[in-house]
Amino acid sequence: MNEALGLVDEHGKFKDIFSALNIRRPAQEGAADVGDVHAVPFILECKDVKSSAVPTWLRQAHVEAFNAGYPFGVVVHKTRRAAVGRGRVYFGVRTWTRVRTALGYSSRDMRELYGFSVAVRGIDSGRWYLSTSVRDFADLLADIRAVL
């Protein structure tokens, strides 16, 4: 993602090692987990497992975003032995709506621009989520950074 956002040079080194916009893995401190990866304004909870538990992971991502003081928590899931670029980024409905509103897009625009697909699991909206590719998430990240 750092490469997709133009934050690294042709050798993969940060152009500005002190930039808060660089995507990094934070050091874990104390009892309050602050997420696996920080991609301002998102906390990424990263999973590399065979079977998914997206609603549970999203709840975890929201708690960790709160602990870190970030407005958005999402989950990045890749299947074992698959490339990270083939992973999916999952948004809870509330997070997706807040991001969509900040960008000024309709639901249709968001689905078309960033390739979101919707998963509805029963009548409990807490189990609903949307997903996009890691590449499309990088584009969304660049766009949300431009408006915040």
Side-chain angles (χ1 to χ4, degrees):
M1 276 198 254
N2 281 310
E3 184 178 335
L5 295 168
L7 299 172
V8 294
D9 64 19
E10 63 276 0
H11 305 291
K13 303 290 185 190
F14 285 122
K15 291 178 179 177
D16 177 1
I17 62 169
F18 300 109
S19 174
L21 298 179
N22 294 335
I23 298 170
R24 299 179 188 246
R25 293 182 58 94
Q28 297 301 317
E29 306 173 5
D33 193 350
V34 293
D36 296 324
V37 175
H38 289 187
V40 175
F42 291 92
I43 290 298
L44 309 179
E45 181 61 28
C46 300
K47 302 296 183 182
D48 177 10
V49 296
K50 184 177 180 180
S51 57
S52 66
V54 176
T56 301
W57 297 340
L58 283 170
R59 284 191 293 278
Q60 181 182 0
H62 296 301
V63 168
E64 293 172 2
F66 176 80
N67 290 344
Y70 281 53
F72 309 117
V74 298
V75 173
V76 179
H77 174 236
K78 76 172 207 68
T79 305
R80 291 215 172 147
R81 293 181 289 282
V84 173
R86 295 187 48 126
R88 301 291 295 173
V89 181
Y90 295 94
F91 285 64
V93 173
R94 285 188 185 138
T95 299
W96 183 80
T97 301
R98 289 174 50 225
V99 169
R100 180 182 61 76
T101 302
L103 289 169
Y105 291 139
S106 69
S107 295
R108 175 174 283 155
D109 291 340
M110 281 289 280
R111 289 191 307 270
E112 290 175 3
L113 288 168
Y114 304 110
F116 276 98
S117 60
V118 180
V120 176
R121 305 284 189 251
I123 60 173
D124 177 9
S125 62
R127 299 182 56 80
W128 300 354
Y129 53 87
L130 298 98
S131 69
T132 190
S133 69
V134 171
R135 177 62 208 162
D136 285 335
F137 176 73
D139 291 342
L140 182 145
L141 180 57
D143 291 347
I144 195 78
R145 284 178 171 182
V147 300
L148 292 183

